[in-house]
């Protein structure tokens, strides 16, 4: 006999597999259709049309790569225990800023004292990478993004602030759930997978931290990680 907790976990797993399969099926279906259309365009020597469908295929495969790498991050968090090392948090943040596109890199302002901290470095990379990715995705290109890293008497605090669209109070609890998106169609077209924040929350908590969200709809958001 399964007890209630096991049944709940089982249901969550089933929901997760259903969601992940659906998210992967969408781009695969689109790729198949685009390949068929590109082939007939080529048969009719319609080169421009063929190019358009090739670009669609490229976009869909990039989407799948992003989703698969997020799923791998999530499974790494669930399967392996954190391996803490004393690392420079600044260096990890600088590296992640470096991976952004030039137009995003130029709008990130990062202020910090040098902070060394005992944490799983790969977990800290996932935290900053996903928060930064969201700040970029959900705010206009002409708006600044601020990263602050500081230490007070008892904690190390990382704060990522954007001046984007913000998150309504009713959505604030739910955005940390896997595959939850505020505006499903739009968030997907902005390139999100819907699991970024669940990765962040998991990575924060297994290193002994908490995550807080301060946001006002239409004004922007601050994600604050406290260790
Ligand atoms: P996604 O990959 O869709 O961005 P996340 O788990 O990272 O998934 O975030 C869940 C949802 O929370 C997003 O789809 C978006 O609606 C909302 N969200 C996350 N970060 C922000 C932000 N900085 N500003 C506004 N909305 C955000």
């Amino acid at each position: 006999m399964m007890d209630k907790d096991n049944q709940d976990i089982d249901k969550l797993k089933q929901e997760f597999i259903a969601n992940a399969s659906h998210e992967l099926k969408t781009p695969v279906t689109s790729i198949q259709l685009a390949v068929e259309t590109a082939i007939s365009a080529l048969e009719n020597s319609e080169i421009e049309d063929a190019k358009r469908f090739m670009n669609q295929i490229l976009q869909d495969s990039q989407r799948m790569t992003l989703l698969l790498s997020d799923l791998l991050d999530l499974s790494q968090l669930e399967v392996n225990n954190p391996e803490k090392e004393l690392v420079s948090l600044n260096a990890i943040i600088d590296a992640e800023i470096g991976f952004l596109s030039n137009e995003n890199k130029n709008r990130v302002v990062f202020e910090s004292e040098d902070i060394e901290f005992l944490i799983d470095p790969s977990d800290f990379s996932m935290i900053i990478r996903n928060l930064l990715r969201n700040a970029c995705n959900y705010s206009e290109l002409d708006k600044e993004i601020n990263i602050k890293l500081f230490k007070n008497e008892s904690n190390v605090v990382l704060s990522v602030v954007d001046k984007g669209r913000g998150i309504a109070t009713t959505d604030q609890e739910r955005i940390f759930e896997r595959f939850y998106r505020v505006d499903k169609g739009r968030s997907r077209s902005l390139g999100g997978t819907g699991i970024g924040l669940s990765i962040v929350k998991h990575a924060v908590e297994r290193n002994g931290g908490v995550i807080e969200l301060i946001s006002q709809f239409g004004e922007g958001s601050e994600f604050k990680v406290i260790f």
Side-chain angles (χ1 to χ4, degrees), residues 134 138 162 167 175 180-182 187 192-197 221 223:
N134 284 345
Y138 302 111
D162 68 69
I167 301 156
I175 56 167
Y180 185 82
R181 299 185 180 98
V182 173
S187 299
T193 61
I195 50 181
L197 284 176
S221 312
F223 286 86

Side-chain angles (χ1 to χ4, degrees), residues 179-195:
F179 295 110
Y180 185 82
R181 299 185 180 98
V182 173
D183 178 347
K184 298 210 177 302
R186 238 179 110 199
S187 299
R188 193 174 290 146
S189 69
L190 285 171
T193 61
I195 50 181

Side-chain angles (χ1 to χ4, degrees), residues 108-189:
V108 174
V109 180
F110 174 35
E111 291 164 19
S112 165
E113 47 187 295
D114 273 339
I115 296 183
E116 294 230 319
F117 189 62
L118 194 64
I119 192 168
D120 183 314
S122 146
D123 287 8
F124 190 71
S125 299
M126 284 184 210
I127 294 167
I128 185 68
R129 184 186 319 135
N130 283 287
L131 291 179
L132 209 46
R133 196 202 280 170
N134 284 345
C136 292
N137 280 348
Y138 302 111
S139 69
E140 306 286 332
L141 271 179
D142 60 350
K143 301 270 168 63
E144 214 168 71
I145 293 166
N146 285 281
I147 306 176
K148 292 195 180 89
L149 175 70
F150 57 91
K151 225 182 207 165
N152 57 28
E153 310 84 67
S154 41
N155 302 307
V156 167
V157 182
L158 166 73
S159 147
V160 179
V161 183
D162 68 69
K163 299 187 179 72
R165 62 160 109 161
I167 301 156
T169 328
T170 43
D171 291 313
Q172 291 187 7
E173 281 285 311
R174 301 209 57 196
I175 56 167
F176 293 97
E177 290 171 20
R178 289 168 183 174
F179 295 110
Y180 185 82
R181 299 185 180 98
V182 173
D183 178 347
K184 298 210 177 302
R186 238 179 110 199
S187 299
R188 193 174 290 146
S189 69

Side-chain angles (χ1 to χ4, degrees), residues 11-38:
K11 187 159 175 286
L12 277 176
K13 273 190 195 155
Q14 283 160 5
E15 274 174 17
F16 177 73
I17 292 172
N19 275 320
S21 319
H22 174 75
E23 293 295 329
L24 282 169
K25 190 164 188 271
T26 310
V28 173
T29 310
S30 164
I31 287 174
Q32 278 170 352
L33 196 70
V35 170
E36 281 168 16
T37 328

